[in-house]
Amino acid sequence: MVLVTAPLIGFSGEIIWPIGQILLPVKIGDAEHSTSTWMNFVVVRSPSLYNEIIGRPGVRKIQAVPSTAHRMLKFPVLGGILTLRKQTIAIGSTLIEEGWRALCGLLRRNLDIFALKLEDMTGFSRHIAEHRLNVREGCSLVRQKKRSQAPKRNKAIQEEVEKLVDAGLMKEVHYHS
């Protein structure tokens, strides 16, 4: 990991200081059609709905053509062109007033690419975008203590998870040790 000296500025103006930057191999696509490249990732210690965000350098690196009007990203793979359909799942709720105004403006300008509710997320195939843990054979798993939440927050978390499971966007997976 390489040291990063510049902060990241969030949508609501919050400042996040990166822990570092790391170059990692990335494979995008499914089992039959994919492309691979090395991409830089900025490592932060911050709660987020997203594990990673591919920026313009990454889009250029895989020679992708994004279309906000069609909510998709197309890029060349061996044997043809692969199409990923873009969909957003949730928006943070901790924005200050100025952040809300900026977010509302962004949403109004890009109504065609955001889903307002889970039912609006159609055409999503797990085979295109499915996250898996890349665990090396023979390595022992690291077990962490379950983090507890306040009862009210725990109930809200459980309700959101149930919505995602019911919509088929998330499923429980058991890893054997």
Side-chain angles (χ1 to χ4, degrees):
M1 189 156 38
V2 185
L3 181 67
V4 175
T5 57
L8 297 174
I9 310 298
F11 293 117
S12 63
E14 75 273 15
I15 296 174
I16 300 168
W17 286 96
I19 298 167
Q21 182 173 301
I22 189 165
L23 186 66
L24 295 172
V26 174
K27 181 178 179 181
I28 301 173
D30 58 23
E32 294 177 48
H33 305 94
S34 64
T35 187
S36 298
T37 189
W38 288 83
M39 287 189 187
N40 279 313
F41 289 87
V42 177
V43 180
V44 298
R45 197 174 273 119
S46 175
S48 175
L49 297 171
Y50 306 100
N51 293 344
E52 65 278 331
I53 297 172
I54 297 177
R56 287 186 182 126
V59 169
R60 271 195 312 274
K61 203 158 197 182
I62 63 169
Q63 299 176 358
V65 177
S67 171
T68 54
H70 298 98
R71 296 186 307 203
M72 62 179 60
L73 181 72
K74 290 187 174 195
F75 55 93
V77 295
L78 190 60
I81 301 291
L82 187 65
T83 301
L84 294 180
R85 301 201 183 281
K86 297 183 287 182
Q87 297 179 332
T88 301
I89 294 173
I91 297 172
S93 61
T94 59
L95 296 176
I96 58 175
E97 187 177 338
E98 182 181 317
W100 270 111
R101 281 197 299 272
L103 178 59
C104 288
L106 172 75
L107 292 173
R108 281 189 204 99
R109 289 188 307 274
N110 298 283
L111 283 174
D112 59 333
I113 62 170
F114 292 102
L116 298 178
K117 48 189 184 286
L118 290 173
E119 297 80 34
D120 293 341
M121 295 180 64
T122 58
F124 179 77
S125 171
R126 259 192 19 236
H127 302 291
I128 292 173
E130 183 172 67
H131 299 283
R132 295 177 181 270
L133 292 177
N134 186 10
V135 181
R136 192 180 315 160
E137 287 273 331
C139 288
S140 58
L141 299 176
V142 176
R143 297 190 184 267
Q144 294 183 348
K145 186 176 101 175
K146 182 181 174 184
R147 295 186 175 132
S148 60
Q149 302 286 336
K152 197 173 182 180
R153 179 176 278 186
N154 199 35
K155 183 180 177 196
I157 291 169
Q158 189 60 38
E159 288 171 358
E160 290 302 313
V161 168
E162 286 173 11
K163 286 180 192 175
L164 293 170
V165 170
D166 291 344
L169 297 172
M170 194 165 102
K171 69 178 182 177
E172 184 175 3
V173 177
H174 297 278
Y175 292 93
H176 303 287
S177 53

